Amino acid sequence: GPKKQTEPPSIPVADLFPSKIFPEGERQSYNNDQRWRETSEEKRELERLEFDILNEVRQAAEVHRQVRQYIRTIAKPGIGMTDLCERLENCVRQLISENGLEAGIAFPTGCSLNYVAAHWTPNANDTSVLQYNDVMKLDFGTQINGRIIDSAFTVAFNPRYNPLLKAVREATDTGVREAGIDVRLCDIGAAVQEVMESHEVELDGKVYQVKCVRNLNGHSIAPYRIHAGKSVPIVKGGEATRMEEGEYFAIETFGSTGRGYVHEDLDTSHYMKNFDVGHVPLRLPRAKALLNVIDRNFGTLAFCKRYLDRLGETKYLMALKNLCDVGILDPYPPLCDTKSSYVAQFEHTLYLHPTRKEVLSRGPDY
Ligand SMILES: COc1ccc(Cn2nnc3c2[C@](C)(O)CC[C@@H]3OC(=O)NC(C)C)cc1
Ligand SMILES: [Co+2]
């Protein structure tokens, strides 16, 4: 049977399962008009053909669960944000048996605080320290052969935030339950918003109705492509596009005490190649050299400045700007609500099997 992980974790997940068969995520049936799939022989045969790929994604999901269980024990007031990220990232690298682009970190460790909703991770020389009154969204990804698990949860110490976290957790679980083959994306957004806005939270004597951040969405996921083109809205009024068999989705919701709308602000840490841009002839030697480092180490996966630093890259800011200006890279600045607000997030990755839904990143914690 499976062997036991050490505390702190050190054993690659592959070594914990001698059979090399990794645990399934949470099974959920589809709704009534898709229930026929569960017993369809044709769909069950399709299911058997996908086992090898799903087994890899489940390994990435098990890494995610074990890393986040450990990180919860060290994510306490007083820890440096950079130290927290590096401990999380080194843990992912170890448990996933990091191997170039075939297995490793899928995107930068998001540890956005308070009114910052997403896409924040420390840059070099950041000395910020986690505080008792912080609301931190830990959003990190694991990948095997480009199959990405994108899952996130919110850490807060002051119990005054519990109603906010509860609202977002219930909203995300609603989005996960509503998802399914042929379901319209706009219907998921409406269902999420109804649950989110049924909650309120009191801070400093003021009562807030929790708002969905209307310009943040979940997203479809494809091999080495964190955002594969479909957005899953978290408010009503979205597109009638439907979910399809065989698709992977990151279902994430964000609840806020602010405007419920984010804008780009603060220094950029996150970058990612534009998936659709082909070869572009470059003249600046330093830009050409930096693109080569990015292609070899990240490909079309998202990365951050800290990941360039650890590879020994220096004086790369001009080359990085050049690659963005010509459209090869896109910058992803932090996404912020109003300064005095608080945003919480929960996120799961699910797979739409031919016969049923699987919440791949489900764990005992969330
Ligand atoms: C460059 O590094 C990354 C890392 C993760 C992602 C995955 N993602 N794709 N879109 C989003 C995300 C996050 C980080 O999950 C959550 C927020 C965001 O939602 C959203 O709607 N944004 C709109 C403003 C378009 C993308 C890029
Ligand atoms: Co995410």
Side-chain angles (χ1 to χ4, degrees), residues 268 270-275 323-324 327-333:
T268 301
H270 287 47
Y271 295 85
M272 185 163 67
K273 277 189 86 174
N274 181 311
F275 199 86
L323 293 177
C324 292
I328 294 174
L329 288 186
D330 292 310
Y332 289 75

Side-chain angles (χ1 to χ4, degrees), residues 39-324:
T39 50
S40 148
E41 197 35 52
E42 177 220 344
K43 295 302 178 185
R44 292 156 78 106
E45 172 55 25
L46 266 180
E47 190 111 1
R48 285 189 281 274
L49 296 174
E50 65 183 16
F51 177 80
D52 291 350
I53 291 176
L54 261 293
N55 196 45
E56 287 179 341
V57 194
R58 290 167 181 155
Q59 181 182 352
E62 184 60 25
V63 169
H64 200 283
R65 281 186 289 270
Q66 294 194 13
V67 169
R68 73 204 196 205
Q69 182 181 335
Y70 161 60
I71 287 303
R72 271 187 193 279
T73 67
I74 64 168
K76 301 293 180 196
I79 188 167
M81 299 306 286
T82 299
D83 183 28
L84 176 64
C85 288
E86 289 177 347
R87 305 236 310 235
L88 186 150
E89 288 152 8
N90 288 330
C91 194
V92 170
R93 293 186 176 109
Q94 227 177 350
L95 298 199
I96 207 158
S97 311
E98 185 190 34
N99 176 21
L101 289 175
E102 290 173 22
I105 293 166
F107 54 84
T109 305
C111 48
S112 308
L113 298 172
N114 306 324
Y115 69 98
V116 185
H119 295 167
W120 189 91
T121 198
N123 284 325
N125 313 322
D126 180 289
T127 58
S128 55
V129 172
L130 189 58
Q131 304 295 318
Y132 173 74
N133 278 311
D134 280 341
V135 176
M136 174 175 66
K137 282 78 58 188
L138 267 181
D139 187 345
F140 68 99
T142 58
Q143 66 87 8
I144 295 178
N145 290 323
R147 306 286 170 175
I148 297 169
I149 290 293
D150 178 2
S151 183
F153 60 103
T154 299
V155 172
F157 309 103
N158 189 329
R160 72 178 192 161
Y161 300 117
N162 290 351
L164 174 63
L165 272 62
K166 183 167 184 277
V168 183
R169 202 163 152 169
E170 288 186 14
T172 296
D173 277 342
T174 300
V176 166
R177 252 196 332 277
E178 290 295 316
I181 294 172
D182 284 357
V183 172
R184 299 188 310 170
L185 298 175
C186 54
D187 293 344
I188 297 174
V192 163
Q193 183 170 25
E194 188 182 350
V195 168
M196 184 80 84
E197 296 186 352
S198 71
H199 291 260
E200 52 184 41
V201 56
E202 179 180 341
L203 299 175
D204 300 317
K206 189 170 178 242
V207 178
Y208 300 84
Q209 180 188 21
V210 182
K211 289 181 191 164
C212 291
V213 180
R214 66 180 184 274
N215 62 330
L216 289 182
N217 322 277
H219 46 94
S220 57
I221 301 175
Y224 295 101
R225 187 168 197 179
I226 185 66
H227 200 313
K230 284 186 183 176
S231 290
V232 185
I234 59 177
V235 292
K236 63 181 183 293
E239 293 174 18
T241 314
R242 293 175 191 269
M243 293 186 155
E244 298 172 71
E245 176 184 308
E247 288 185 319
Y248 291 82
F249 282 96
I251 303 295
E252 52 190 312
T253 73
F254 295 82
S256 177
T257 63
R259 288 188 314 169
Y261 191 84
V262 288
H263 60 280
E264 297 181 348
D265 196 358
L266 309 178
D267 294 340
T268 301
S269 52
H270 287 47
Y271 295 85
M272 185 163 67
K273 277 189 86 174
N274 181 311
F275 199 86
D276 301 320
V277 168
H279 176 73
V280 172
L282 290 166
R283 281 205 312 276
L284 286 173
R286 290 190 58 73
K288 201 182 294 211
L290 180 64
L291 179 57
N292 192 270
V293 169
I294 292 164
D295 283 339
R296 278 185 289 105
N297 290 280
F298 312 112
T300 53
L301 294 176
F303 63 96
C304 62
K305 288 179 179 143
R306 281 188 299 111
Y307 294 177
L308 294 175
D309 299 336
R310 77 183 283 274
L311 291 170
E313 291 307 305
T314 56
K315 299 195 290 297
Y316 51 72
L317 294 182
M318 183 55 72
L320 196 58
K321 183 184 180 311
N322 180 265
L323 293 177
C324 292

